[in-house]
Amino acid sequence: MHTTTTTTTTTTTTTTRTLAIAAALTLGLTLAGCSTRNSSSDTGSSASTSAKSAHNDQDVMFAQMMLPHHQQAVQMSDMLLAKGDGIDTDVAALAKQIKAEQGPEITRLTSWLQGWGEPTESGHSGMGHSMSGMRSDSDMTDLDQASAKDAGKLFLQQMVQHHEGALDMARSEVDKGKNTDAVAMAESIVSSQTKQITQMKDMHASKYHQSRVEAGNAVRLDPRPVLPRS
């Protein structure tokens, strides 16, 4: 009787130990799997972040130049819209569209430069109003002081040249940029602003009684040349 009890106790102890070992192994494998998955996830996230932040000097120059260029386009649009109901409704709608597109891009350009540890203002010479397409102080004053009736025509003339300058910068970014987000923005600018240039020239011709050729020439009154494509 005593032998049977001892055997039973030994068997029970052995079984318990076996189950404990199996449970420990299972727990270890589970933890290892979680650790591997978390590690893989962290590695993937780091790689993704690194890929997005990868950039070159061209990306920096694009962001630093396009930022004030967009800011001036928004300022020009605000000047026009401030004239109230007297401005042409189609031209006003275009100004609102320009603000809606370029406002968020200003935020993104600023964010990129800050993320790259770069200043939002470039140290390159030749920036400011001499940048391709940028309007001079005199141009801005003319638009600001124009009557509601004349402002629409002047806005179209100035904004066509302004957009053409943006295309120069955007094409250079598409050709030479490294950051995928910046290149994507540049491609979007080329697409949208090319369409808007055509729209503005057609609008100028139809509303101000000029042929399309004359309308195209009218926006070339500024003697400063548009920079060629890189």
Side-chain angles (χ1 to χ4, degrees):
M1 191 66 160
H2 177 71
T3 301
T4 302
T5 300
T6 300
T7 301
T8 301
T9 300
T10 301
T11 301
T12 301
T13 300
T14 301
T15 301
T16 301
R17 289 177 178 174
T18 301
L19 291 174
I21 293 171
L25 288 172
T26 300
L27 178 60
L29 290 172
T30 301
L31 291 174
C34 290
S35 176
T36 300
R37 285 194 297 272
N38 290 337
S39 177
S40 298
S41 177
D42 292 342
T43 301
S45 177
S46 297
S48 177
T49 301
S50 177
K52 286 187 176 181
S53 64
H55 64 283
N56 59 15
D57 290 343
Q58 167 61 38
D59 297 316
V60 174
M61 184 170 67
F62 167 73
Q64 288 176 334
M65 293 178 68
M66 193 61 75
L67 183 57
H69 209 272
H70 272 19
Q71 289 170 336
Q72 189 181 66
V74 170
Q75 184 183 7
M76 292 168 65
S77 299
D78 282 336
M79 283 182 177
L80 179 76
L81 296 172
K83 300 183 184 298
D85 296 336
I87 59 176
D88 183 271
T89 54
D90 291 335
V91 181
L94 175 64
K96 291 176 182 178
Q97 180 185 353
I98 289 171
K99 287 187 62 177
E101 290 177 355
Q102 299 194 21
E105 289 180 346
I106 288 172
T107 300
R108 292 173 64 196
L109 290 164
T110 302
S111 176
W112 292 341
L113 288 169
Q114 291 174 343
W116 298 337
E118 299 287 349
T120 54
E121 295 184 3
S122 173
H124 297 292
S125 60
M127 294 288 285
H129 291 304
S130 63
M131 191 191 312
S132 179
M134 288 286 280
R135 301 294 84 204
S136 67
D137 289 336
S138 177
D139 291 333
M140 298 297 283
T141 298
D142 289 344
L143 179 61
D144 189 38
Q145 295 181 353
S147 66
K149 178 180 178 181
D150 295 333
K153 178 179 180 180
L154 187 58
F155 176 83
L156 292 175
Q157 291 174 349
Q158 291 187 359
M159 193 59 78
V160 166
Q161 290 180 330
H162 198 270
H163 272 25
E164 288 174 337
L167 292 184
D168 291 335
M169 291 185 284
R171 288 180 181 125
S172 292
E173 173 64 11
V174 171
D175 291 341
K176 304 174 185 177
K178 179 178 181 181
N179 183 269
T180 54
D181 290 335
V183 171
M185 178 185 286
E187 290 173 338
S188 176
I189 289 172
V190 171
S191 175
S192 65
Q193 296 200 17
T194 297
K195 292 176 183 177
Q196 286 177 351
I197 287 172
T198 299
Q199 178 186 2
M200 287 188 286
K201 287 183 177 180
D202 288 343
M203 198 181 295
H204 189 281
S206 64
K207 293 181 180 296
Y208 302 106
H209 310 295
Q210 291 177 303
S211 71
R212 197 175 189 286
V213 173
E214 291 172 331
N217 290 334
V219 299
R220 292 291 186 182
L221 296 178
D222 191 317
R224 291 171 297 179
V226 174
L227 298 178
R229 295 188 191 182
S230 58

